[in-house]
Amino acid sequence: MHISLAAERLFTIAGIPITNTLLVSWGIILLLFVIALLISKNLSSEKPKGLQNFIELIFEKLLDFMGSVTGSRKDSIKYFPLIATIFIFVVLSNLVEIIPGLGTIGIMEGEHGHETLVPFLRSSSADLNFTLAIAISAVLSIQIFGIAALGFFKYWKKFFCPPWEKPYFIGTFIGILELIAEVAKVISFSFRLFGNIFAGEVLLTVVLVLVPYLAPLPFLFLEIFVGFIQAVVFSMLTLVFIKVATAHH
Amino acid sequence: MELLDKLGIDWRLLVAQIINFGVLLFVLHRFLYKPILGVLEKRRKEIKENNERTKELTEKVERAEEEYEKRILEAEKKSQAILKETEEKAGKLKNELVEEGRKNAAALLKESEEQSMREKDEIRESILKETNALVKESVRKILQRVADKKTSELLWDKAEKELKKHDN
């Protein structure tokens, strides 16, 4: 049994290492692209069918849920693309870990006697590059929405308050704290998701090695639940931060 | 740097994942969110419009019902007023007619009384005239029987004078 914090490198293209998590990310993007194309091709306003109904249901529920945070449908629609993309991408990346054979099919690498398994696929949320990328995108978007809502100078005054203006040094100090908080958001976002999903993968691997039959089943259910909750937490926290960043004080 | 290596953080992979996210956001926004949200909003708008229209029509019906009730009530009031006025007029007319009848009857009674009085007077007059003539005749006949011609004529003149006095 080999457990690695970093995603395993499979091969390199033009100097860029291609990891198993990157492959899974591409797979998810491709899948979503196909679904999006299928839906937009057969879109019907009067008589929605099958998949469109399902997507509409999810979107409507997500919009309602967002409405409970934003308090207005207009705002919910405005932030919907970002929040929905985070939710869908993260939830699919999380749920990929329960696919059988994901962490067990691969190639053996290494020296004689020290061979380790390099799985072809690995849940992309169990890679800090992925979680960090989404966290950075989310926090950057929060700043952009904040600037769009309040104006550049008013928004940045939150972080850079000159000590000669009210409330003087306290304002400057709070500004520094706010700046640290923004960086902390990136760290907490990425490590929370990575920690949960990576731990889940490790847990599943360990249980699978110890008791291969039946025992992993409850853990698989637990991982489905955790994967969904983490996606909700990530997307809703982003929405709450956007709401705070765009609020007029 | 060592820590980043241990955690598997590689800036090239990080950039690749950020690009992945950006591409996914663009693709989903273009092919999924826009059309589906468009459909949802269109449907929502239609439902809202239909609801508003239903509300409007319900209000219209309610207003029409109120107007109908009001008109019925007004008509009832009007008919009651007309009935009352007619009754009053009829009462007044009745009173007038009764009064007129009474007056006519009184006039008629008075006239008939006068008529009967007149007739009575006439009868009395004629009786008196007849009696007078009878008395005159009787007196003349008696005078002619009891006295001579001359005396009787004298006495007749006197008696005639006396009778004329009574006539007047």
Side-chain angles (χ1 to χ4, degrees):
Chain A
M1 189 170 59
H2 169 73
I3 292 163
S4 154
L5 264 179
E8 289 85 354
R9 189 175 299 189
L10 295 176
F11 51 89
T12 317
I13 297 177
I16 301 169
I18 306 299
T19 56
N20 42 16
T21 54
L22 196 60
L23 274 185
V24 169
S25 295
W26 285 343
I28 290 168
I29 291 171
L30 198 67
L31 176 78
L32 288 173
F33 185 55
V34 171
I35 290 174
L37 275 183
L38 275 175
I39 286 178
S40 67
K41 213 177 169 186
N42 304 315
L43 197 74
S44 162
S45 174
E46 282 77 30
K47 286 181 189 169
K49 282 188 283 187
L51 193 60
Q52 192 191 334
N53 265 330
F54 178 68
I55 299 284
E56 275 185 20
L57 175 81
I58 291 177
F59 279 19
E60 198 65 67
K61 291 284 164 208
L62 194 59
L63 271 174
D64 283 348
F65 194 42
M66 285 174 72
S68 65
V69 177
T70 57
S72 101
R73 187 154 173 109
K74 205 180 143 201
D75 280 354
S76 300
I77 288 174
K78 189 174 161 191
Y79 307 135
F80 185 81
L82 177 73
I83 304 301
T85 308
I86 290 176
F87 176 75
I88 294 169
F89 203 15
V90 171
V91 82
L92 288 180
S93 303
N94 293 352
L95 295 182
V96 157
E97 70 171 320
I98 61 159
I99 294 175
L102 196 81
T104 46
I105 300 174
I107 41 166
M108 299 301 279
E109 266 186 1
E111 305 276 312
H112 291 290
H114 283 287
E115 282 187 329
T116 52
L117 178 75
V118 177
F120 291 132
L121 302 170
R122 171 173 163 162
S123 167
S124 41
S125 299
D127 176 8
L128 257 176
N129 290 306
F130 173 81
T131 58
L132 206 57
I134 295 186
I136 288 169
S137 307
V139 173
L140 274 179
S141 305
I142 293 166
Q143 315 308 318
I144 292 167
F145 281 127
I147 290 167
L150 303 177
F152 185 82
F153 290 106
K154 201 177 170 195
Y155 184 76
W156 283 97
K157 230 178 174 184
K158 199 165 87 172
F159 305 112
F160 305 107
C161 185
W164 56 86
E165 274 180 26
K166 263 188 176 177
Y168 308 111
F169 286 105
I170 296 172
T172 313
F173 183 64
I174 289 172
I176 294 166
L177 287 184
E178 288 273 4
L179 208 58
I180 295 168
E182 292 303 312
V183 179
K185 271 176 202 166
V186 178
I187 297 169
S188 73
F189 264 144
S190 52
F191 277 85
R192 182 189 305 112
L193 184 60
F194 169 73
N196 272 286
I197 303 307
F198 181 71
E201 274 210 343
V202 172
L203 181 69
L204 285 180
T205 313
V206 169
V207 173
L208 203 67
V209 167
L210 293 177
V211 192
Y213 300 104
L214 287 174
L217 202 61
F219 294 99
L220 285 172
F221 281 117
L222 181 76
E223 284 317 306
I224 294 174
F225 179 69
V226 169
F228 181 76
I229 290 295
Q230 283 309 313
V232 173
V233 166
F234 204 120
S235 49
M236 283 305 129
L237 268 180
T238 309
L239 185 62
V240 170
F241 290 145
I242 289 174
K243 178 81 182 158
V244 172
T246 53
H248 292 265
H249 293 290
Chain B
M1 284 306 278
E2 201 188 325
L3 177 70
L4 290 183
D5 272 349
K6 270 192 176 171
L7 288 172
I9 296 172
D10 184 330
W11 70 268
R12 289 167 300 182
L13 286 171
L14 191 65
V15 170
Q17 292 286 22
I18 290 175
I19 292 169
N20 279 350
F21 182 74
V23 169
L24 186 66
L25 183 63
F26 171 76
V27 167
L28 290 184
H29 186 53
R30 172 77 181 75
F31 294 105
L32 196 66
Y33 303 150
K34 248 188 184 171
I36 293 275
L37 287 182
V39 167
L40 288 182
E41 281 312 292
K42 195 184 159 197
R43 202 174 295 145
R44 206 179 159 85
K45 207 177 152 192
E46 272 173 16
I47 291 170
K48 202 180 160 191
E49 274 174 9
N50 284 342
N51 279 349
E52 271 171 12
R53 194 160 162 68
T54 311
K55 205 178 156 191
E56 215 172 78
L57 286 178
T58 312
E59 272 175 11
K60 226 176 183 175
V61 168
E62 272 174 10
R63 270 205 302 275
E65 269 177 7
E66 266 175 26
E67 184 73 14
Y68 172 74
E69 294 276 327
K70 210 173 138 188
R71 279 194 182 174
I72 289 271
L73 217 71
E74 261 177 25
E76 248 172 40
K77 268 187 191 169
K78 229 174 185 171
S79 66
Q80 288 281 348
I82 289 172
L83 207 65
K84 206 178 162 189
E85 204 183 316
T86 315
E87 270 176 4
E88 274 176 8
K89 267 186 184 168
K92 219 171 158 184
L93 202 66
K94 188 183 142 196
N95 286 344
E96 275 175 14
L97 284 174
V98 167
E99 192 64 26
E100 207 180 312
R102 201 174 284 155
K103 270 183 191 168
N104 281 350
L108 224 63
L109 201 68
K110 204 180 165 188
E111 204 181 323
S112 65
E113 268 175 6
E114 278 172 1
Q115 178 83 18
S116 68
M117 285 292 281
R118 264 200 309 274
E119 278 173 4
K120 209 172 141 190
D121 284 348
E122 274 170 14
I123 291 166
R124 214 172 108 201
E125 195 83 4
S126 75
I127 289 171
L128 213 62
K129 266 183 185 168
E130 264 178 46
T131 317
N132 219 348
L134 211 66
V135 168
K136 268 182 187 171
E137 197 58 39
S138 310
V139 168
R140 232 168 114 124
K141 274 181 182 170
I142 291 165
L143 280 176
Q144 277 172 355
R145 244 180 245 170
V146 289
D148 57 12
K149 208 180 172 184
K150 208 177 169 184
T151 317
S152 73
E153 274 178 10
L154 202 78
L155 283 170
W156 174 245
D157 283 340
K158 255 191 179 177
E160 210 175 19
K161 273 179 193 168
E162 233 11 74
L163 280 170
K164 266 184 187 168
K165 264 185 199 171
H166 276 284
D167 278 351
N168 296 327

